[in-house]
Amino acid sequence: MSRDLIVFGEDWGGLPSSTQHLIRCISQQRKIVWVNSIGLRRPTLTLRDAKRVWHKLTAKSEPKAENTTQSVPENLTLVNPSTLPAPRTQLGRNVASGMLAKQLQPILKKAGLHDPILWTSLPTAVDMSEKLDASTLIYYCGDDFSKLAGVDHATVAQRESELVSKADLILAASETLFSRFPSCRTRLLPHGVDFNLFSTPAKVAADLPQNGKPTAGFYGSLSDWLDYALLHETIAKMPHWNFVFIGNTCPAAKTLSQHSNVCLLGPKNHHELPSYSQHWTASLLPFTDNGQIRACNPLKLREYLATGRPVISTPFPALNEYMRFVSVVRTSAELEEALELAAQKTSNHQQQKAVSPHTWDARAQELSTWLDAL
């Protein structure tokens, strides 16, 4: 009989993370209690953080599925935690973990989990490792939290160190992350792709520009890790191209709207993305070079490749596996040249074939083998 899981991840919903993809797949054979984000930093004295804390403290423990933009699997119980986010002192940690344990215990009893494994994608959940009835601890590391923006780095680094020392199994999403952990307890688990979603022809989105010009596109978080200097210079030199950006925007991203050939379309649901990426001329990964990007294995890389459209990227290690299918650029002149070449290309079925075996189902099957061995 397969063991069930208690999962500490980000908030369920929105654009699905790698953890959500994996857990959705394995929930077909295992019961899951998913605990929404307990935070990676202490809240600041801002209206946004105050609203978030109030929502966390007053939300129902078990939210309804219709309150999320991603459907909740039948075998998954979703929990809104009532706790203090990322406390720094030992007293604060004891209070926060005690509050959360008291909230979770009746939910776990009701769920009737079989010999549960505690899985955390957040280092700040390490304090729950001895508070719940779980004899096995898994740390799934999808990011370099020491370099991640918007994180209380000192607190998270300390928690991660504790978590690594306690974990029975560590799962790393990239080679860079894998190299940081004890090899005897660490497995490399790169991101997968929903190949059918991104390769099956989709109708073009109504708000994608249809003005006869070629289009370069990007979707994801429009945050500080994009190379805005590179983008501004290239966009200004290519008024005969559309540049489309999908996702939530930081202040730097909003400055792109000064160009008349830029469309900031805001966030879209995950299932809508092929209606854009299958129909623009080239997909962009215009990242800056920093520690976070060097450790990342972006989900959108394989999703872009699955559409068959040309992919243009600045360099980072996770590209290595697909270098023959990606145009790597470092300057505005190189990006401009790569875009003009992309406009002459048709769909590349070889790149689709290269990513087709790497589905989330395939990743989940490998993961289940490791879970069964614990």
PDB file of all heavy atoms in Angstrom, residues 305-326:
ATOM      1  N   LEU A 305       9.503  24.661 -25.676  1.00  0.00           N
ATOM      2  CA  LEU A 305      10.003  23.688 -26.646  1.00  0.00           C
ATOM      3  C   LEU A 305       8.878  22.795 -27.166  1.00  0.00           C
ATOM      4  O   LEU A 305       8.859  22.419 -28.341  1.00  0.00           O
ATOM      5  CB  LEU A 305      11.100  22.838 -26.019  1.00  0.00           C
ATOM      6  CG  LEU A 305      12.421  23.564 -25.717  1.00  0.00           C
ATOM      7  CD1 LEU A 305      13.308  22.701 -24.836  1.00  0.00           C
ATOM      8  CD2 LEU A 305      13.158  23.932 -27.003  1.00  0.00           C
ATOM      9  N   ALA A 306       7.928  22.477 -26.302  1.00  0.00           N
ATOM     10  CA  ALA A 306       6.832  21.591 -26.680  1.00  0.00           C
ATOM     11  C   ALA A 306       5.915  22.210 -27.734  1.00  0.00           C
ATOM     12  O   ALA A 306       5.223  21.496 -28.457  1.00  0.00           O
ATOM     13  CB  ALA A 306       6.017  21.197 -25.456  1.00  0.00           C
ATOM     14  N   THR A 307       5.912  23.526 -27.855  1.00  0.00           N
ATOM     15  CA  THR A 307       5.081  24.165 -28.880  1.00  0.00           C
ATOM     16  C   THR A 307       5.694  24.023 -30.270  1.00  0.00           C
ATOM     17  O   THR A 307       4.998  24.180 -31.277  1.00  0.00           O
ATOM     18  CB  THR A 307       4.900  25.667 -28.603  1.00  0.00           C
ATOM     19  OG1 THR A 307       6.158  26.350 -28.776  1.00  0.00           O
ATOM     20  CG2 THR A 307       4.368  25.918 -27.197  1.00  0.00           C
ATOM     21  N   GLY A 308       7.006  23.780 -30.331  1.00  0.00           N
ATOM     22  CA  GLY A 308       7.699  23.701 -31.618  1.00  0.00           C
ATOM     23  C   GLY A 308       8.168  25.041 -32.141  1.00  0.00           C
ATOM     24  O   GLY A 308       8.853  25.111 -33.168  1.00  0.00           O
ATOM     25  N   ARG A 309       7.838  26.125 -31.463  1.00  0.00           N
ATOM     26  CA  ARG A 309       8.253  27.456 -31.904  1.00  0.00           C
ATOM     27  C   ARG A 309       9.707  27.721 -31.478  1.00  0.00           C
ATOM     28  O   ARG A 309      10.195  27.154 -30.498  1.00  0.00           O
ATOM     29  CB  ARG A 309       7.343  28.543 -31.297  1.00  0.00           C
ATOM     30  CG  ARG A 309       5.860  28.380 -31.597  1.00  0.00           C
ATOM     31  CD  ARG A 309       5.597  28.286 -33.094  1.00  0.00           C
ATOM     32  NE  ARG A 309       6.146  29.439 -33.811  1.00  0.00           N
ATOM     33  CZ  ARG A 309       6.607  29.402 -35.065  1.00  0.00           C
ATOM     34  NH1 ARG A 309       6.613  28.259 -35.733  1.00  0.00           N
ATOM     35  NH2 ARG A 309       7.066  30.492 -35.637  1.00  0.00           N
ATOM     36  N   PRO A 310      10.436  28.584 -32.221  1.00  0.00           N
ATOM     37  CA  PRO A 310      11.818  28.908 -31.852  1.00  0.00           C
ATOM     38  C   PRO A 310      11.915  29.490 -30.438  1.00  0.00           C
ATOM     39  O   PRO A 310      11.039  30.248 -30.010  1.00  0.00           O
ATOM     40  CB  PRO A 310      12.217  29.954 -32.899  1.00  0.00           C
ATOM     41  CG  PRO A 310      11.328  29.691 -34.070  1.00  0.00           C
ATOM     42  CD  PRO A 310      10.024  29.244 -33.487  1.00  0.00           C
ATOM     43  N   VAL A 311      12.993  29.126 -29.745  1.00  0.00           N
ATOM     44  CA  VAL A 311      13.244  29.613 -28.389  1.00  0.00           C
ATOM     45  C   VAL A 311      14.557  30.382 -28.387  1.00  0.00           C
ATOM     46  O   VAL A 311      15.578  29.893 -28.886  1.00  0.00           O
ATOM     47  CB  VAL A 311      13.313  28.452 -27.379  1.00  0.00           C
ATOM     48  CG1 VAL A 311      13.584  28.985 -25.968  1.00  0.00           C
ATOM     49  CG2 VAL A 311      12.018  27.637 -27.406  1.00  0.00           C
ATOM     50  N   ILE A 312      14.524  31.586 -27.827  1.00  0.00           N
ATOM     51  CA  ILE A 312      15.709  32.446 -27.741  1.00  0.00           C
ATOM     52  C   ILE A 312      15.943  32.787 -26.277  1.00  0.00           C
ATOM     53  O   ILE A 312      15.017  33.211 -25.574  1.00  0.00           O
ATOM     54  CB  ILE A 312      15.522  33.734 -28.558  1.00  0.00           C
ATOM     55  CG1 ILE A 312      15.195  33.402 -30.025  1.00  0.00           C
ATOM     56  CG2 ILE A 312      16.769  34.621 -28.478  1.00  0.00           C
ATOM     57  CD1 ILE A 312      14.788  34.616 -30.854  1.00  0.00           C
ATOM     58  N   SER A 313      17.175  32.609 -25.812  1.00  0.00           N
ATOM     59  CA  SER A 313      17.445  32.773 -24.387  1.00  0.00           C
ATOM     60  C   SER A 313      18.812  33.367 -24.145  1.00  0.00           C
ATOM     61  O   SER A 313      19.744  33.168 -24.929  1.00  0.00           O
ATOM     62  CB  SER A 313      17.355  31.407 -23.693  1.00  0.00           C
ATOM     63  OG  SER A 313      17.664  31.505 -22.321  1.00  0.00           O
ATOM     64  N   THR A 314      18.930  34.078 -23.041  1.00  0.00           N
ATOM     65  CA  THR A 314      20.248  34.399 -22.503  1.00  0.00           C
ATOM     66  C   THR A 314      20.788  33.123 -21.852  1.00  0.00           C
ATOM     67  O   THR A 314      20.024  32.203 -21.549  1.00  0.00           O
ATOM     68  CB  THR A 314      20.151  35.533 -21.475  1.00  0.00           C
ATOM     69  OG1 THR A 314      19.135  35.203 -20.512  1.00  0.00           O
ATOM     70  CG2 THR A 314      19.790  36.855 -22.143  1.00  0.00           C
ATOM     71  N   PRO A 315      22.112  33.007 -21.628  1.00  0.00           N
ATOM     72  CA  PRO A 315      22.673  31.737 -21.140  1.00  0.00           C
ATOM     73  C   PRO A 315      22.424  31.479 -19.659  1.00  0.00           C
ATOM     74  O   PRO A 315      22.483  32.393 -18.845  1.00  0.00           O
ATOM     75  CB  PRO A 315      24.172  31.902 -21.419  1.00  0.00           C
ATOM     76  CG  PRO A 315      24.409  33.374 -21.436  1.00  0.00           C
ATOM     77  CD  PRO A 315      23.155  33.996 -21.964  1.00  0.00           C
ATOM     78  N   PHE A 316      22.125  30.221 -19.325  1.00  0.00           N
ATOM     79  CA  PHE A 316      22.094  29.748 -17.946  1.00  0.00           C
ATOM     80  C   PHE A 316      22.205  28.222 -17.995  1.00  0.00           C
ATOM     81  O   PHE A 316      21.886  27.588 -19.013  1.00  0.00           O
ATOM     82  CB  PHE A 316      20.846  30.219 -17.196  1.00  0.00           C
ATOM     83  CG  PHE A 316      19.532  29.774 -17.779  1.00  0.00           C
ATOM     84  CD1 PHE A 316      18.865  28.657 -17.300  1.00  0.00           C
ATOM     85  CD2 PHE A 316      18.942  30.498 -18.810  1.00  0.00           C
ATOM     86  CE1 PHE A 316      17.649  28.258 -17.827  1.00  0.00           C
ATOM     87  CE2 PHE A 316      17.722  30.112 -19.349  1.00  0.00           C
ATOM     88  CZ  PHE A 316      17.081  28.982 -18.860  1.00  0.00           C
ATOM     89  N   PRO A 317      22.675  27.573 -16.922  1.00  0.00           N
ATOM     90  CA  PRO A 317      23.059  26.159 -16.981  1.00  0.00           C
ATOM     91  C   PRO A 317      21.965  25.196 -17.422  1.00  0.00           C
ATOM     92  O   PRO A 317      22.250  24.209 -18.109  1.00  0.00           O
ATOM     93  CB  PRO A 317      23.508  25.856 -15.542  1.00  0.00           C
ATOM     94  CG  PRO A 317      24.014  27.165 -15.039  1.00  0.00           C
ATOM     95  CD  PRO A 317      23.111  28.197 -15.647  1.00  0.00           C
ATOM     96  N   ALA A 318      20.704  25.440 -17.050  1.00  0.00           N
ATOM     97  CA  ALA A 318      19.640  24.481 -17.370  1.00  0.00           C
ATOM     98  C   ALA A 318      19.374  24.363 -18.864  1.00  0.00           C
ATOM     99  O   ALA A 318      18.686  23.434 -19.298  1.00  0.00           O
ATOM    100  CB  ALA A 318      18.351  24.862 -16.637  1.00  0.00           C
ATOM    101  N   LEU A 319      19.940  25.278 -19.664  1.00  0.00           N
ATOM    102  CA  LEU A 319      19.785  25.186 -21.124  1.00  0.00           C
ATOM    103  C   LEU A 319      20.609  24.056 -21.733  1.00  0.00           C
ATOM    104  O   LEU A 319      20.332  23.626 -22.859  1.00  0.00           O
ATOM    105  CB  LEU A 319      20.225  26.494 -21.797  1.00  0.00           C
ATOM    106  CG  LEU A 319      19.360  27.731 -21.643  1.00  0.00           C
ATOM    107  CD1 LEU A 319      20.042  28.906 -22.339  1.00  0.00           C
ATOM    108  CD2 LEU A 319      17.972  27.507 -22.221  1.00  0.00           C
ATOM    109  N   ASN A 320      21.625  23.582 -21.013  1.00  0.00           N
ATOM    110  CA  ASN A 320      22.617  22.691 -21.608  1.00  0.00           C
ATOM    111  C   ASN A 320      22.003  21.492 -22.318  1.00  0.00           C
ATOM    112  O   ASN A 320      22.451  21.090 -23.396  1.00  0.00           O
ATOM    113  CB  ASN A 320      23.607  22.215 -20.541  1.00  0.00           C
ATOM    114  CG  ASN A 320      24.491  23.338 -20.031  1.00  0.00           C
ATOM    115  OD1 ASN A 320      24.591  24.389 -20.662  1.00  0.00           O
ATOM    116  ND2 ASN A 320      25.121  23.141 -18.886  1.00  0.00           N
ATOM    117  N   GLU A 321      20.969  20.913 -21.744  1.00  0.00           N
ATOM    118  CA  GLU A 321      20.350  19.716 -22.307  1.00  0.00           C
ATOM    119  C   GLU A 321      19.712  19.987 -23.670  1.00  0.00           C
ATOM    120  O   GLU A 321      19.572  19.073 -24.490  1.00  0.00           O
ATOM    121  CB  GLU A 321      19.294  19.187 -21.329  1.00  0.00           C
ATOM    122  CG  GLU A 321      18.654  17.881 -21.755  1.00  0.00           C
ATOM    123  CD  GLU A 321      17.655  17.377 -20.721  1.00  0.00           C
ATOM    124  OE1 GLU A 321      17.497  18.020 -19.656  1.00  0.00           O
ATOM    125  OE2 GLU A 321      17.024  16.332 -20.982  1.00  0.00           O
ATOM    126  N   TYR A 322      19.339  21.256 -23.912  1.00  0.00           N
ATOM    127  CA  TYR A 322      18.589  21.586 -25.131  1.00  0.00           C
ATOM    128  C   TYR A 322      19.292  22.632 -25.989  1.00  0.00           C
ATOM    129  O   TYR A 322      18.655  23.315 -26.796  1.00  0.00           O
ATOM    130  CB  TYR A 322      17.190  22.091 -24.744  1.00  0.00           C
ATOM    131  CG  TYR A 322      16.397  21.083 -23.956  1.00  0.00           C
ATOM    132  CD1 TYR A 322      16.196  21.240 -22.585  1.00  0.00           C
ATOM    133  CD2 TYR A 322      15.872  19.948 -24.568  1.00  0.00           C
ATOM    134  CE1 TYR A 322      15.487  20.304 -21.853  1.00  0.00           C
ATOM    135  CE2 TYR A 322      15.151  19.007 -23.857  1.00  0.00           C
ATOM    136  CZ  TYR A 322      14.966  19.189 -22.500  1.00  0.00           C
ATOM    137  OH  TYR A 322      14.260  18.247 -21.772  1.00  0.00           O
ATOM    138  N   MET A 323      20.599  22.738 -25.863  1.00  0.00           N
ATOM    139  CA  MET A 323      21.339  23.777 -26.564  1.00  0.00           C
ATOM    140  C   MET A 323      21.147  23.737 -28.082  1.00  0.00           C
ATOM    141  O   MET A 323      21.158  24.768 -28.751  1.00  0.00           O
ATOM    142  CB  MET A 323      22.828  23.685 -26.232  1.00  0.00           C
ATOM    143  CG  MET A 323      23.171  24.173 -24.840  1.00  0.00           C
ATOM    144  SD  MET A 323      22.897  25.945 -24.609  1.00  0.00           S
ATOM    145  CE  MET A 323      24.326  26.590 -25.453  1.00  0.00           C
ATOM    146  N   ARG A 324      20.949  22.533 -28.640  1.00  0.00           N
ATOM    147  CA  ARG A 324      20.816  22.443 -30.101  1.00  0.00           C
ATOM    148  C   ARG A 324      19.488  23.012 -30.594  1.00  0.00           C
ATOM    149  O   ARG A 324      19.307  23.218 -31.803  1.00  0.00           O
ATOM    150  CB  ARG A 324      20.965  20.992 -30.553  1.00  0.00           C
ATOM    151  CG  ARG A 324      19.908  20.033 -30.071  1.00  0.00           C
ATOM    152  CD  ARG A 324      20.333  18.586 -30.341  1.00  0.00           C
ATOM    153  NE  ARG A 324      19.318  17.601 -30.004  1.00  0.00           N
ATOM    154  CZ  ARG A 324      19.093  17.141 -28.784  1.00  0.00           C
ATOM    155  NH1 ARG A 324      19.800  17.630 -27.768  1.00  0.00           N
ATOM    156  NH2 ARG A 324      18.175  16.219 -28.561  1.00  0.00           N
ATOM    157  N   PHE A 325      18.565  23.272 -29.675  1.00  0.00           N
ATOM    158  CA  PHE A 325      17.273  23.803 -30.076  1.00  0.00           C
ATOM    159  C   PHE A 325      17.057  25.258 -29.649  1.00  0.00           C
ATOM    160  O   PHE A 325      16.033  25.852 -29.995  1.00  0.00           O
ATOM    161  CB  PHE A 325      16.141  22.958 -29.470  1.00  0.00           C
ATOM    162  CG  PHE A 325      16.208  21.506 -29.833  1.00  0.00           C
ATOM    163  CD1 PHE A 325      16.321  20.539 -28.846  1.00  0.00           C
ATOM    164  CD2 PHE A 325      16.169  21.108 -31.159  1.00  0.00           C
ATOM    165  CE1 PHE A 325      16.376  19.193 -29.177  1.00  0.00           C
ATOM    166  CE2 PHE A 325      16.232  19.762 -31.498  1.00  0.00           C
ATOM    167  CZ  PHE A 325      16.336  18.805 -30.507  1.00  0.00           C
ATOM    168  N   VAL A 326      17.994  25.821 -28.895  1.00  0.00           N
ATOM    169  CA  VAL A 326      17.818  27.168 -28.336  1.00  0.00           C
ATOM    170  C   VAL A 326      18.873  28.109 -28.903  1.00  0.00           C
ATOM    171  O   VAL A 326      20.060  27.765 -28.943  1.00  0.00           O
ATOM    172  CB  VAL A 326      17.918  27.144 -26.790  1.00  0.00           C
ATOM    173  CG1 VAL A 326      17.769  28.556 -26.219  1.00  0.00           C
ATOM    174  CG2 VAL A 326      16.853  26.217 -26.203  1.00  0.00           C
TER     175      VAL A 326
END
